[in-house]
Amino acid sequence: MNDEKMKIINKFKNKNLKEKLQQNHVDLLVSSEVKPRDISRKIALIYIILSGLWITFSDKLIAMIFTDVHIVTKVSTFKGWMFVAVTAALLYFLIMRDLERIKYWGNEIVAIYEELEVAYEELAATEEEMRVNYKELQKSEERYRLAIEGAKDAIWEWNIEKEEFFITDKFYQALGYKPSGKKLKELIEEVVHQDDKDRVFEDMWEYLRGNKEFYESEFRTKSITGEYIWIYNKGKALRDSEGNVKIVSGSLTDITHRKKYEEDMMHMAYYDLLTDLPNRSFLMERLKEVLEKGDSKGALIFLDLDDFKKINDTLGHNYGDELLKVIARKLKEVLDERAILARMSGDEFIILVSETVDKFSLNNLGEKIVSVFKNPTEIGQTHVYTTASLGITFFPQDGEEANKLLKNCDAAMYYAKSKGKNNFAFFNKKMTDEITRRIEIEKELRNAIKEKEFQIVYQPQVDLKSEKIKYLEALIRWNSKKFGMVSPGEFIPIAEETGLIVEIGEWIIKEVCNQNKLWIEKGFHYEGVSINVSAVQLENAHFLRNIEHIVNEVGVDASFIELEITENVLLNDVDSKIVLFEELKALGFKIALDDFGTGYSSLNYLKILPINTLKIDKCFTDNVCHNNIDRYIIESTVNLAHNMDISVVIEGVEQEAQVNILRDLNSDIIQGYYYYKPMDINEIESVFL
């Protein structure tokens, strides 16, 4: 609406303005400018004055000038007509003048009236527009009110100049409080979490200083029930021409569900789902943070359960999982609250002690951890026995880089296992040398077949009754160009861990079959050759097909080949192994169970396994002459095996006294240095010849 309209509206506020103007516009103008009575009086007064003057002085003047009566009469007549003419002219002039004025003001009234007509129409239109706008404004205000009341967010406004703070009731309703009308700082002090208050102020000042385009902050607010609700606060400031902040307004959003989701995702990313312990990622990040401080001292402890795989395979993975949870709980009980216990993977745990420690305190801690495993753990109705091996490394003296420290304590843990398990060891440089050698051995193993560095030697197995060679056991030797002779006890485990044993095993089978075919063709008399087979080989899906292909290709009778397995082969999926052994026997191969009496020996194996031969471990033979218990074990095992139609081979026989006792115990076959040590091809041929 322009200024002209506003003036009209202010001047003519009366609702009946149009009607009054129509009735009274002439009177208004005449009364203010023309006034008819004054005009009449003025004309009459002029006429009387002029008439009086004329009548009074004209005759006297004529009498003074003329003496003749006839002339006076004529002049008087002329005088009369002159008076009429002059008064008529005067009246005409006066009346015309006022009539012109009336005509002028009449035209002015019409023009003003027409303008007023237009103004009134515009005023009426403006009033209608204002009425419509007012109704729309009322609707908008109602919508705004409903929107504010129905919105999820609470709306706030902070007038910095007036130090006034307003926030909608939605905020108080969410927290369970009654509206208080408190100032901003008071409200923050009352409801914001203690740990978040500084951040709330810092975020606001950062924005007010112009460092951010928008104000935003996340913090926790305490409800009346004591629970904390996460709030996302965002806003924008109104600034003056000089950039000074006058008013800041914004909204508060409840983001508790989002924060809970983020926390759950973070927990899943950094915590183990089974034990609820921190996982590898969490530990590595925390370890790196500690190491980055530069002056931090502490230790890293690597814990690995001994033979945990056997527990999983014999009792099932459910028992194994429950055992891990119980162990995690027990370990937390013996650790200081400042230590971080994390599950790395499987049965491996890491403990980060990020404080000043010495070897004495770590030694005590190691003993406390080992003592956790002294007693069996009850899972359901089953008592589960397990132990653990620990490796301990210090920082920064053993290393200042996270991965290096992990390798160090891992090396120390393996050293503890090699010393009999169920103990702990501190890292030293010698262990690093062993790891380096292990890596180098793995590297050289990959080329050993191609470089023809492997050799097969044979140790005869002698029939006690005839004292003749009944079987030959094929044994592999590695004469490395880089390391020289490498013990099978060193390189076989590495070959198994890396999977290289599959390729090496196939090479052994093929070499043994080819060599023994030549000996058979030469007329050497013995019943067969025994070949050691790794658990890794048996788990290979192509093992049965490959060995069948080799004997067929070489042309050796499968019954001439005896496959030696150890008990650890049976710790993973016994049923499938039994099926495999049955298939091998169906092809003609013989099966021997090696190292019986050690580890998890079970008489049930003799019952369920389709074996032909049982080999009693050397540990019983060593003391058979001095220990009656070992003698009784061998005697009982031999008798049991014979009753089950299973042949028995006694390993590690080195003395004549041992031979005599074993003969008295009705043993079948002996193997050891007393008769023959492992021999190369030429030595074996000389023995047969």
Side-chain angles (χ1 to χ4, degrees):
M1 185 178 298
N2 56 35
D3 294 339
E4 185 179 354
K5 291 182 179 179
M6 288 300 300
K7 291 178 180 178
I8 295 173
I9 290 172
N10 292 331
K11 189 174 181 180
F12 303 105
K13 292 184 179 179
N14 197 314
K15 294 182 181 180
N16 298 319
L17 178 62
K18 182 178 179 181
E19 181 179 351
K20 288 186 177 181
L21 286 174
Q22 289 175 335
Q23 294 174 356
N24 302 320
H25 61 276
V26 175
D27 293 338
L28 284 171
L29 291 172
V30 171
S31 63
S32 62
E33 299 290 345
V34 181
K35 296 182 180 179
R37 290 181 181 178
D38 291 342
I39 294 172
S40 300
R41 290 192 188 99
K42 187 185 296 182
I43 294 172
L45 180 61
I46 292 172
Y47 182 78
I48 291 171
I49 292 173
L50 291 176
S51 298
L53 291 174
W54 182 263
I55 293 171
T56 302
F57 296 104
S58 60
D59 288 338
K60 290 181 178 182
L61 181 62
I62 293 172
M64 290 175 64
I65 296 173
F66 300 102
T67 57
D68 189 348
V69 175
H70 295 286
I71 295 172
V72 170
T73 301
K74 292 180 180 179
V75 172
S76 295
T77 302
F78 177 76
K79 178 196 68 167
W81 285 109
M82 281 291 294
F83 177 78
V84 172
V86 170
T87 55
L90 180 63
L91 289 174
Y92 174 81
F93 171 76
L94 291 174
I95 292 170
M96 281 300 295
R97 188 194 66 172
D98 288 332
L99 288 176
E100 287 293 334
R101 291 176 65 188
I102 291 170
K103 180 180 179 181
Y104 169 78
W105 284 110
N107 291 335
E108 287 294 314
I109 289 172
V110 172
I112 291 173
Y113 176 76
E114 290 176 351
E115 289 180 4
L116 289 175
E117 281 282 323
V118 173
Y120 177 80
E121 290 176 357
E122 291 179 354
L123 177 61
T126 301
E127 288 177 341
E128 179 64 20
E129 181 181 350
M130 290 179 64
R131 185 182 63 79
V132 172
N133 289 340
Y134 178 72
K135 289 183 178 180
E136 288 298 322
L137 180 60
Q138 284 184 315
K139 291 181 180 179
S140 297
E141 289 178 346
E142 181 66 16
R143 292 192 193 104
Y144 179 73
R145 184 183 63 79
L146 293 174
I148 292 297
E149 293 178 356
K152 184 179 180 181
D153 296 355
I155 307 300
W156 59 270
E157 183 179 275
W158 180 27
N159 191 316
I160 296 178
E161 286 186 328
K162 297 181 180 179
E163 295 185 358
E164 295 177 351
F165 179 74
F166 163 78
I167 189 168
T168 56
D169 294 347
K170 201 75 176 178
F171 175 74
Y172 296 101
Q173 292 171 5
L175 299 180
Y177 297 113
K178 293 181 179 179
S180 61
K182 293 185 176 180
K183 293 185 177 181
L184 177 60
K185 189 173 181 180
E186 295 175 338
L187 193 61
I188 292 175
E189 290 292 340
E190 180 179 351
V191 302
V192 176
H193 193 286
Q194 185 66 33
D195 296 340
D196 298 342
K197 290 178 182 177
D198 290 342
R199 183 168 66 251
V200 172
F201 289 114
E202 288 173 6
D203 290 341
M204 177 60 78
W205 302 143
E206 275 290 302
Y207 171 66
L208 294 179
R209 284 194 292 265
N211 296 331
K212 295 181 179 179
E213 185 178 356
F214 296 95
Y215 163 67
E216 56 182 355
S217 184
E218 293 182 0
F219 51 87
R220 288 162 290 179
T221 54
K222 188 176 182 180
S223 69
I224 198 170
T225 61
E227 297 181 72
Y228 280 96
I229 298 173
W230 273 99
I231 296 295
Y232 172 62
N233 191 11
K234 58 184 177 181
K236 186 79 174 175
L238 176 65
R239 301 175 185 268
D240 60 19
S241 58
E242 297 178 356
N244 299 317
V245 177
K246 299 298 183 181
I247 297 174
V248 184
S249 60
S251 62
L252 300 170
T253 306
D254 185 346
I255 58 170
T256 306
H257 291 296
R258 194 197 81 191
K259 278 292 184 180
K260 181 65 169 60
Y261 176 78
E262 291 175 355
E263 289 173 2
D264 291 344
M265 293 298 100
M266 186 66 70
H267 193 84
M268 291 176 65
Y270 287 99
Y271 283 81
D272 175 55
L273 295 179
L274 179 65
T275 61
D276 203 36
L277 293 176
N279 60 16
R280 181 188 181 93
S281 298
F282 181 96
L283 182 104
M284 292 301 289
E285 288 190 12
R286 185 57 58 87
L287 178 59
K288 289 176 181 177
E289 290 175 3
V290 172
L291 294 174
E292 285 173 359
K293 293 180 180 178
D295 58 347
S296 298
K297 295 182 179 180
L300 208 59
I301 304 173
F302 193 104
L303 183 151
D304 183 83
L305 299 181
D306 299 324
D307 302 317
F308 180 73
K309 187 174 184 298
K310 294 180 180 179
I311 296 173
N312 266 343
D313 294 337
T314 55
L315 298 177
H317 288 276
N318 289 337
Y319 277 93
D321 290 345
E322 290 300 319
L323 177 62
L324 289 173
K325 289 192 282 188
V326 173
I327 289 174
R329 186 169 64 250
K330 288 184 176 181
L331 289 174
K332 284 196 290 187
E333 291 174 356
V334 301
L335 292 174
D336 188 284
E337 61 181 10
R338 291 171 293 180
I340 298 177
L341 172 65
R343 183 188 178 202
M344 297 297 280
S345 63
D347 60 337
E348 297 174 343
F349 296 85
I350 285 280
I351 301 168
L352 172 61
V353 184
S354 56
E355 58 184 13
T356 303
V357 292
D358 53 34
K359 194 168 184 178
F360 177 77
S361 62
L362 262 295
N363 192 80
N364 290 337
L365 179 58
E367 290 178 351
K368 286 174 64 176
I369 294 173
V370 170
S371 67
V372 168
F373 302 91
K374 284 185 177 180
N375 300 318
T377 301
E378 186 174 347
I379 307 295
Q381 302 298 320
T382 303
H383 286 81
V384 181
Y385 291 84
T386 186
T387 57
S389 298
L390 283 66
I392 305 173
T393 187
F394 291 94
F395 58 84
Q397 53 264 51
D398 291 340
E400 299 181 8
E401 197 271 324
N403 288 325
K404 182 177 181 180
L405 290 172
L406 275 181
K407 291 179 180 178
N408 290 348
C409 59
D410 186 52
M413 182 273 295
Y414 274 108
Y415 182 82
K417 281 188 180 292
S418 69
K419 297 303 179 182
K421 304 177 182 179
N422 193 32
N423 58 18
F424 58 91
F426 291 93
F427 170 79
N428 58 54
K429 190 178 182 302
K430 182 181 177 182
M431 297 174 184
T432 304
D433 296 338
E434 291 177 358
I435 292 175
T436 302
R437 177 176 170 83
R438 183 183 181 89
I439 294 172
E440 290 296 324
I441 286 177
E442 177 184 341
K443 180 180 177 181
E444 294 299 316
L445 266 177
R446 297 184 182 276
N447 297 318
I449 295 177
K450 184 172 64 176
E451 298 296 329
K452 298 181 180 180
E453 295 178 354
F454 289 126
Q455 177 188 4
I456 304 296
V457 297
Y458 297 87
Q459 185 174 27
Q461 297 174 351
V462 178
D463 187 330
L464 268 180
K465 294 178 181 178
S466 65
E467 293 192 340
K468 293 181 179 180
I469 297 175
K470 190 167 186 179
Y471 286 94
L472 298 175
E473 180 178 3
L475 303 168
I476 188 171
R477 297 291 183 263
W478 181 24
N479 187 8
S480 170
K481 293 178 181 178
K482 182 174 182 177
F483 301 111
M485 293 301 299
V486 184
S487 167
E490 184 177 14
F491 75 81
I492 290 296
I494 298 175
E496 289 180 327
E497 290 178 13
T498 59
L500 292 171
I501 194 66
V502 174
E503 182 183 359
I504 295 172
E506 288 185 11
W507 178 85
I508 293 173
I509 294 171
K510 185 176 290 188
E511 286 292 311
V512 170
C513 287
N514 282 322
Q515 183 60 56
N516 280 268
K517 180 184 179 184
L518 291 176
W519 284 339
I520 293 170
E521 291 174 352
K522 288 182 179 183
F524 295 166
H525 297 289
Y526 58 103
E527 294 185 12
V529 62
S530 181
I531 303 174
N532 290 282
V533 179
S534 166
V536 179
Q537 289 176 266
L538 295 176
E539 290 173 0
N540 185 282
H542 305 298
F543 175 76
L544 182 65
R545 184 185 65 189
N546 290 345
I547 192 172
E548 181 182 12
H549 173 73
I550 290 172
V551 296
N552 291 335
E553 182 182 42
V554 174
V556 176
D557 193 331
S559 63
F560 193 76
I561 306 298
E562 184 176 66
L563 303 175
E564 281 195 21
I565 63 170
T566 55
E567 291 177 349
N568 64 347
V569 169
L570 305 171
L571 294 179
N572 186 20
D573 197 358
V574 177
D575 293 336
S576 66
K577 295 298 189 302
I578 293 174
V579 172
L580 176 61
F581 296 152
E582 293 286 1
E583 291 175 342
L584 288 169
K585 286 199 71 175
L587 294 173
F589 294 99
K590 295 177 182 177
I591 307 294
L593 181 61
D594 196 10
D595 297 336
F596 187 80
T598 61
Y600 282 80
S601 297
S602 171
L603 294 177
N604 190 47
Y605 290 160
L606 303 181
K607 174 183 174 182
I608 64 176
L609 293 178
I611 62 175
N612 304 92
T613 304
L614 183 67
K615 299 186 73 173
I616 297 178
D617 191 75
K618 181 180 182 295
C619 66
F620 297 102
T621 308
D622 290 341
N623 298 314
V624 71
C625 298
H626 312 291
N627 191 319
N628 288 333
I629 294 178
D630 287 341
R631 179 174 178 174
Y632 295 149
I633 290 174
I634 291 176
E635 182 179 18
S636 300
T637 304
V638 169
N639 291 333
L640 178 62
H642 286 171
N643 290 333
M644 299 179 70
D645 197 24
I646 297 174
S647 298
V648 178
V649 176
I650 311 295
E651 297 182 301
V653 179
E654 299 177 354
Q655 304 170 14
E656 184 177 1
Q658 294 173 334
V659 174
N660 293 331
I661 291 175
L662 294 174
R663 185 179 285 112
D664 292 341
L665 296 179
N666 199 27
S667 300
D668 300 324
I669 303 168
I670 62 173
Q671 180 179 351
Y673 280 24
Y674 178 76
Y675 281 107
Y676 301 103
K677 65 177 182 178
M679 296 178 285
D680 60 25
I681 293 172
N682 293 329
E683 289 173 323
I684 286 290
E685 289 186 353
S686 65
V687 168
F688 279 116
L689 292 174

